[in-house]
Amino acid sequence: MGKNREFDVVVYGATGFTGRLVAEYLNKQYGVGKELKWAMAGRSEEKLAAVRDEMGVPADVPFVVADASDTASLKSMAERTSVVLTTVGPYQLYGSDVVAACVAAGTDYVDLCGEVNWMHTMIAEHGEAAKKSGARIVLSCGFDSIPFDLGVYFLQENAKKTLGGVVPRVKTRVREMKGTFSGGTVASFRATMASVGSDPSVIEILTNPFALAEGFTGPAQPAGDKPVHEDDLGMWVAPFVMAPINTRNVHRSNMLLGHAYGEDFVYDEMMMAGPGEQGEAVAKMIAGDTSMMSDDAPKPGEGPSKKEREEGMYNVLLIGEAKDGKKINVTVTGDRDPGYGSTSKIIAEAAVCLAKDDVVEAGGLYTSAPAMGMKLVDRLVANAGLTFDVDA
């Protein structure tokens, strides 16, 4: 707020698959040269122009030429805009200098990171400097982890109203999800595995539920690493592929909110597989899925067709339980495939929320709930095809 820069939002990586979708969404939702001043950024002006024309974005959309290997270009980009929205990952390979440039310039930042080890490093390296410069660096602003992080926040806000206080236990169960993970997610996963190979201490970070909570350690958390039958749901549940990042972000949100959910807060995520023997078989199949490591996994820059994105969706149940056994259930849904169609809209609205709304003022390294809270929930519901509902 009040940075008075040339641009409100610069989309860095606008020629990539997800970056294109973000630019397409901003053009459709906000137009070019209107109230929201936004620009497309990438390594090549020629390629930016080709992508612009392919998408039918007006010719007067501004371009910013920036390259992850050219720190001067990143510095210039950061100084020209209120918010840098970057889809250029894996972030542990291409993101560190972008964060550094934004922190130095006091520029807000959003990304699609799901790389816990890199996020842990960024928090340690830039946390204090971001507080001083006023840069609000908000990590994980896609399907991982906003529907989950804001889902817990939304549940807790409503628990105060209906149960008289926050709940110490939240279980998130993915009812349904149609769509594939992105090529960027696969590349990030492989980069993280490579970092484990070169530095075994990374394993300690990846396996710690409180890895992003800056030294805080809460109670033991459910492992969520094998199929189990949950009697209260009457069905089998299986490990959820995004849980290792989402759970860490939720615990960071709790820490940044002054442990508003309690220092005894317990949280986990699983995927519903169904009842009976069939549910057990499905749960075991999900648990044994190795497609992230296969040669057929999506590559960066690849993605589903427009039809596949529009036919995708997700439906997530969050169950909050108070100490007296009373419960509150919340459902979060998205109207596009999670990895691309919904993610591109979510990160775009997160960037606009930072640029335009009255949200957290202090600089620092954030997650979505403490940074934007209900302001972002409202934007996602109004514009991005998400719902947040308390179940009757």
Side-chain angles (χ1 to χ4, degrees), residues 174-381:
V174 180
R175 285 191 181 104
E176 192 176 0
M177 191 170 73
K178 185 178 181 185
T180 184
F181 41 76
S182 72
T185 296
V186 175
S188 293
F189 173 78
R190 290 177 175 173
T192 299
M193 291 303 99
S195 72
V196 169
S198 61
D199 181 3
S201 69
V202 170
I203 294 174
E204 293 179 30
I205 296 170
L206 297 178
T207 56
N208 177 8
F210 302 98
L212 304 181
E214 298 187 51
F216 173 79
T217 301
Q221 304 288 313
D225 58 352
K226 55 176 68 75
V228 295
H229 187 272
E230 295 197 323
D231 295 339
D232 59 333
L233 294 175
M235 69 174 65
W236 285 83
V237 296
F240 176 48
V241 67
M242 306 317 305
I245 174 62
N246 293 337
T247 53
R248 277 59 172 168
N249 277 323
V250 168
H251 285 301
R252 177 161 179 80
S253 288
N254 186 31
M255 184 274 294
L256 289 172
L257 290 165
H259 297 288
Y261 312 157
E263 293 193 359
D264 58 346
F265 181 63
V266 176
Y267 178 72
D268 74 322
E269 297 177 358
M270 301 285 279
M271 194 154 192
M272 291 186 181
E277 291 181 4
Q278 184 177 352
E280 184 178 11
V282 170
K284 289 179 177 176
M285 183 180 70
I286 293 170
D289 181 23
T290 58
S291 54
M292 280 266 244
M293 293 175 280
S294 79
D295 292 336
D296 296 330
K299 308 288 189 297
E302 296 179 354
S305 68
K306 186 172 187 286
K307 182 173 185 287
E308 288 169 327
R309 294 195 305 271
E310 290 179 351
E311 288 178 351
M313 53 77 68
Y314 50 91
N315 182 304
V316 178
L317 169 68
L318 295 95
I319 304 164
E321 185 169 352
K323 288 179 179 175
D324 62 4
K326 290 180 180 175
K327 291 185 178 181
I328 176 172
N329 291 358
V330 160
T331 295
V332 178
T333 70
D335 69 344
R336 293 288 186 273
D337 78 295
Y340 297 92
S342 190
T343 277
S344 58
K345 295 193 290 184
I346 290 170
I347 191 172
E349 288 298 337
V352 177
C353 188
L354 278 179
K356 294 292 188 182
D357 294 345
D358 182 15
V359 294
V360 69
E361 291 185 8
L365 272 81
Y366 286 99
T367 41
S368 61
M372 294 172 275
M374 291 303 297
K375 290 286 177 71
L376 183 52
V377 170
D378 292 343
R379 277 194 174 275
L380 296 174
V381 171

Side-chain angles (χ1 to χ4, degrees), residues 12 25 44 50 71 91 99 135 150 163 224 226 319 328-329 334 343 352:
Y12 177 53
Y25 173 80
S44 161
T71 54
Y91 294 94
V99 172
L150 287 183
L163 302 181
K226 55 176 68 75
I319 304 164
I328 176 172
N329 291 358
T343 277
V352 177

